[in-house]
Amino acid sequence: MNNNSAHNVRLRDVIETDLPLFYENQQDPIANYMAVFTAKDPSDRKAFDAHWSKILGDETITIKTIVYAGHVAGSVSCFEQFGQLEVTYWLGKEYWGKGIATKALSEFLDHVKARPLCARAAKDNIASIRVLEKCGFQICGEDKGFSNSRNHEVEEYILKLG
């Protein structure tokens, strides 16, 4: 990541006008394939709206919008799953490969002090695994689950941050 990218990434609270951009990002078939565990029907706007209404109304979920060079690039969040705190992020495909996810997750981890934190990534999502490892996560296990976007069971790594 070059220094220019690092200076152009910031996190802020999610606002209503971010949601159409998040929905648009969710429509990309390649992003869905890489994210693996996605909505059953990414084009279902009612389900998307209900999901985000639930997320934004849940005080136990920490979620931030990722802004890059003044544009909404994606989101990063922390929530409880399987009895553990887990982080996840989503970037619009046009923002991939620029170090934005690493910088955003790093800033988010400065904000979320709870540890340990877990994350999950499909074994073939090398870029996401690298982002997590650059932010201090280490592979601690494996799992598999049904992927709506791939329509079959997918193997994933479980990663943990101290």
Side-chain angles (χ1 to χ4, degrees):
M1 172 174 57
N2 66 45
N3 282 341
N4 211 14
S5 292
H7 294 303
N8 288 322
V9 176
R10 68 180 182 89
L11 303 179
R12 64 160 168 75
D13 290 340
V14 175
I15 57 175
E16 194 72 29
T17 56
D18 297 339
L19 300 182
L21 296 165
F22 294 167
Y23 178 74
E24 184 180 319
N25 286 342
Q26 182 179 292
Q27 302 311 300
D28 187 281
I30 295 171
N32 272 288
Y33 185 87
M34 294 311 295
V36 180
F37 302 107
T38 60
K40 192 170 242 177
D41 177 4
S43 67
D44 184 341
R45 185 58 192 249
K46 284 179 96 172
F48 173 88
D49 290 341
H51 175 73
W52 275 92
S53 179
K54 181 180 171 189
I55 289 171
L56 295 174
D58 187 336
E59 292 182 7
T60 67
I61 297 174
T62 303
I63 187 158
K64 296 291 183 184
T65 294
I66 302 168
V67 178
Y68 173 70
H71 300 280
V72 173
S75 63
V76 59
S77 64
C78 179
F79 58 96
E80 187 171 327
Q81 182 166 292
F82 308 122
Q84 301 178 55
L85 285 177
E86 189 163 315
V87 297
T88 189
Y89 52 89
W90 186 294
L91 276 182
K93 194 169 68 176
E94 66 270 29
Y95 299 102
W96 293 2
K98 298 179 180 183
I100 297 167
T102 302
K103 177 63 175 166
L105 181 58
S106 178
E107 284 189 24
F108 188 74
L109 294 173
D110 287 343
H111 176 75
V112 175
K113 301 296 185 193
R115 300 291 186 270
L117 293 174
C118 292
R120 294 169 175 263
K123 287 185 174 183
D124 64 358
N125 191 342
I126 304 304
S128 192
I129 293 165
R130 283 191 39 82
V131 166
L132 291 162
E133 289 177 334
K134 286 179 186 178
C135 290
F137 284 82
Q138 295 180 336
I139 294 172
C140 66
E142 298 179 15
D143 199 0
K144 54 185 159 185
F146 184 79
S147 166
N148 291 320
S149 65
R150 298 184 186 189
N151 201 29
H152 63 82
E153 199 168 68
V154 173
E155 293 184 350
E156 65 182 338
Y157 287 123
I158 302 168
L159 297 96
K160 188 178 277 188
L161 176 66

